[in-house]
Amino acid sequence: MDEKNTGMSGWGLIIFLILLFMFMGGGFGNFFGNRGNCCGVTPCEVEKQEIIDSARTQYLIEQTARQTQEMTNAGINALGNKVDYYQIQGLRDKVNEVTNENLQLKNRIYNDNKFNQLERQNEGMFTALDQKISQIACNIPQRPPYWGAGFINCGTPIPPGYAYNTNCNSCTNC
């Protein structure tokens, strides 16, 4: 065998490549899925990231629940305020009605007192006038001063004789 070796043989090339892969990439792991080496993600980091993601999800769920509760409470408060407003308006209307009725009753009492006082004054005035009219009625003649002389068929004079009686029996103050 007289061959001249001008380069590397096949086994030499294979050994060279194996050494090259080991020093450059940390072994065969770079080509077969990066398991357990420094360039890939370790199972601890994956678990750590899962914990972080689940904590973030839990926080967002709690925050959303809190916002939902706050919105519900705000809606309930708004509804309660609206109900309270309508109840207050109803009570104001009742107070206004009672106030108006109270004013009407006060006016009626005032007017009743005023008119009762006038009625008592009028009664007193009418009683005094009645007495004066009675006195005047007793003092004025009840018959005309002169009667026409006349007779009816039976001979009774007109006016009759008792009409000339000047005695006032019907009055007490005569």
Side-chain angles (χ1 to χ4, degrees):
M1 293 214 173
D2 212 9
E3 291 182 15
K4 194 170 180 187
N5 198 355
T6 59
M8 274 199 231
S9 69
W11 284 105
L13 184 63
I14 291 175
I15 292 175
F16 177 73
L17 288 174
I18 290 175
L19 290 175
L20 182 68
F21 287 136
M22 288 174 83
F23 288 116
M24 300 249 331
F28 294 107
N30 286 339
F31 295 106
F32 298 114
N34 292 331
R35 294 186 191 141
N37 60 14
C38 64
C39 293
V41 179
T42 63
C44 293
E45 290 177 355
V46 170
E47 288 178 13
K48 181 180 173 184
Q49 188 62 40
E50 287 177 358
I51 292 171
I52 291 171
D53 289 343
S54 66
R56 183 179 297 131
T57 303
Q58 182 68 26
Y59 173 75
L60 291 175
I61 289 171
E62 289 174 359
Q63 186 177 11
T64 304
R66 189 176 318 113
Q67 288 174 350
T68 304
Q69 287 175 347
E70 289 173 358
M71 288 173 43
T72 303
N73 289 338
I76 289 171
N77 288 338
L79 183 63
N81 290 339
K82 189 179 284 189
V83 168
D84 289 344
Y85 173 76
Y86 286 124
Q87 287 178 345
I88 289 172
Q89 283 299 105
L91 291 175
R92 283 182 186 166
D93 291 343
K94 287 181 182 178
V95 166
N96 286 337
E97 289 175 11
V98 169
T99 303
N100 288 338
E101 184 178 354
N102 193 11
L103 288 175
Q104 289 175 354
L105 292 175
K106 284 182 180 179
N107 286 337
R108 183 180 293 166
I109 289 171
Y110 173 75
N111 289 338
D112 285 350
N113 289 337
K114 185 177 178 182
F115 290 128
N116 286 341
Q117 182 182 4
L118 287 174
E119 187 175 357
R120 284 190 298 275
Q121 287 176 353
N122 285 342
E123 286 175 359
M125 184 177 63
F126 287 138
T127 304
L129 281 175
D130 222 9
Q131 289 175 354
K132 287 183 181 182
I133 289 173
S134 295
Q135 286 175 355
I136 291 173
C138 286
N139 292 332
I140 59 172
Q142 298 294 320
R143 60 189 183 293
Y146 301 106
W147 291 93
F151 290 91
I152 55 172
N153 293 348
C154 64
T156 306
I158 298 178
Y162 60 85
Y164 292 106
N165 186 5
T166 58
N167 222 359
C168 184
N169 293 331
S170 63
C171 299
T172 57
N173 296 333
C174 294

